[in-house]
Amino acid sequence: MPADPASNPADDPLIRARQDWMSVLAKAPGTRLAAVMEALGPEPAHSWLRAPEFGAVMSRGRAGATGAPFNLGEITVTRCSLRLEDGTVGHAYIAGRDADHARRAALCDALLQGPRAAELQATVIAPLRADLARAAAEAEARADKTRVDFFTMVRGE
């Protein structure tokens, strides 16, 4: 009997949307996030639930993306949580040791859950997503220059 989709929180569109924007905020360069956030004006008042702190997490991988998982190694992360004056909570986990990047990401997470969500999607998330897509396309183009297609070689018959 198939599971009830409502019983799986990952099937909730709001949760998937939040996972998406948190991924964009975490992957974006901290300086670029700071630049796009300047257009929003002054930061809203907030209090810390967990001030930015550094730590390490184990990174796991899979051979060929489908094999058995294995421990790849530890990476440094910065995490923080904050609460806006209206009670909305924002969280962030950022690779590396950048407290300002984590603070801005947590602030965006909180603001994206409120009435300014559409504005932030357009002015913060969309430009960052475009930057990440452009960087991925450039990396793929560089890799394509070195690709060898062995199936196009002509046999000498």
Side-chain angles (χ1 to χ4, degrees), residues 107-126:
L107 190 58
C108 278
D109 177 44
L111 292 171
L112 280 158
Q113 297 174 61
R116 295 180 66 188
E119 174 192 357
L120 268 79
Q121 283 285 351
T123 60
V124 176
I125 301 301

Side-chain angles (χ1 to χ4, degrees), residues 60-72:
R60 296 184 52 103
R62 289 180 184 265
T66 59
F70 62 93
N71 291 338
L72 189 60

Side-chain angles (χ1 to χ4, degrees), residues 69-129:
F70 62 93
N71 291 338
L72 189 60
E74 290 183 345
I75 62 169
T76 305
V77 296
T78 305
R79 71 177 180 178
C80 67
S81 298
L82 54 81
R83 178 179 289 131
L84 298 179
E85 287 182 330
D86 68 0
T88 307
V89 175
H91 305 281
Y93 280 80
I94 305 299
R97 296 175 57 98
D98 190 345
D100 287 333
H101 184 180
R103 177 184 50 79
R104 287 185 186 101
L107 190 58
C108 278
D109 177 44
L111 292 171
L112 280 158
Q113 297 174 61
R116 295 180 66 188
E119 174 192 357
L120 268 79
Q121 283 285 351
T123 60
V124 176
I125 301 301
L128 294 177
R129 183 179 283 118

Side-chain angles (χ1 to χ4, degrees), residues 11 18 27 36 40 74 89 102 130 154:
D11 291 335
R18 190 171 183 204
K27 292 174 185 173
V36 295
L40 300 176
E74 290 183 345
V89 175
V154 177

